[in-house]
Amino acid sequence: MNDTLAARQPLQLDQTAIDAAAKSLDDGAVTPSYGPWRDDIVKLLNDALATELVCVLRYKRHYFTAKGVESPAIADEFLVHANEESAHADRIAERIVQLGGEPNFQPDSLSKRSHADYDESKDLQAMVRANLKAERIAVESYRQMVALIGDKDSTTRRMLEEILADEEEHADELSDWMDK
């Protein structure tokens, strides 16, 4: 036990990093400790932003075009999901700016950068399947981003974990609508 205590390093802050944070005030929240990962994180976030925006468009289309006996309830759920995806996009864009990046809303590149596809299904069950597929892709993408970012940016990781929880909830809700 004494060997463990002797080998234990004290918990103390890195004063050099604190002093560096006091400089370059134009960088806002981005301190030098973000290191070489900031640009990679901004790219990951811009791709996630594209995914969220494509999901908003897909859900909105499905909301307005859903037909059938079950369509009013399912369409309402599509609209709820569209609004939640829009809120995710806003949070991601805000974080990109906090990191000193530029959120990429370029319409021509959205579908190329998105992890999920846009869908023009006309059948209600095909819409549900397309949205469930997109949510599952989002869940996997966010899980991978959380793992990649790890302790490199705890604020972004926590935001992505919160969005991941929402995406899992969306997938669960859509799964309940399968074969209705």
Side-chain angles (χ1 to χ4, degrees):
M1 184 164 179
N2 287 339
D3 291 334
T4 304
L5 290 176
R8 183 181 74 79
Q9 296 294 320
L11 296 177
Q12 61 187 41
L13 299 178
D14 179 350
Q15 189 59 47
T16 304
I18 291 171
D19 293 342
K23 299 176 182 159
S24 302
L25 299 181
D26 292 341
D27 292 338
V30 180
T31 64
S33 65
Y34 277 86
W37 305 112
R38 188 190 64 83
D39 291 342
D40 292 340
I41 292 169
V42 167
K43 184 190 180 319
L44 287 171
L45 291 176
N46 263 314
D47 291 350
L49 176 62
T51 303
E52 295 293 346
L53 293 171
V54 167
C55 287
V56 169
L57 296 172
R58 185 187 58 255
Y59 274 124
K60 286 281 196 161
R61 182 182 195 290
H62 290 171
Y63 168 73
F64 286 110
T65 61
K67 291 180 176 47
V69 174
E70 295 288 332
S71 68
I74 294 176
D76 286 346
E77 193 66 31
F78 289 162
L79 183 59
V80 168
H81 287 199
N83 292 333
E84 290 173 353
E85 304 296 0
S86 181
H88 295 163
D90 290 349
R91 289 183 69 193
I92 291 168
E94 181 179 21
R95 184 64 184 151
I96 290 168
V97 171
Q98 287 172 345
L99 291 171
E102 302 243 347
N104 185 346
F105 286 93
Q106 177 53 249
D108 292 340
S109 71
L110 286 179
S111 63
K112 294 176 192 118
R113 292 182 294 115
S114 175
H115 303 127
D117 295 328
Y118 182 75
D119 179 77
E120 295 183 348
S121 295
K122 293 181 176 37
D123 173 73
L124 191 59
Q125 276 303 304
M127 291 177 186
V128 172
R129 280 191 297 278
N131 286 310
L132 178 55
K133 177 181 173 184
E135 293 295 353
R136 290 174 51 84
I137 289 168
V139 165
E140 181 59 26
S141 298
Y142 282 118
R143 282 180 200 233
Q144 288 186 29
M145 284 187 271
V146 165
L148 286 169
I149 291 172
D151 64 354
K152 295 170 187 73
D153 178 355
S154 58
T155 302
T156 298
R157 186 192 70 241
R158 280 191 309 275
M159 177 194 70
L160 294 174
E161 288 170 339
E162 291 168 5
I163 294 172
L164 170 60
D166 289 346
E167 303 296 5
E168 288 173 338
E169 183 179 320
H170 292 172
D172 189 49
E173 291 166 354
L174 289 163
S175 180
D176 290 345
W177 288 106
M178 292 293 292
D179 302 322
K180 279 198 174 198

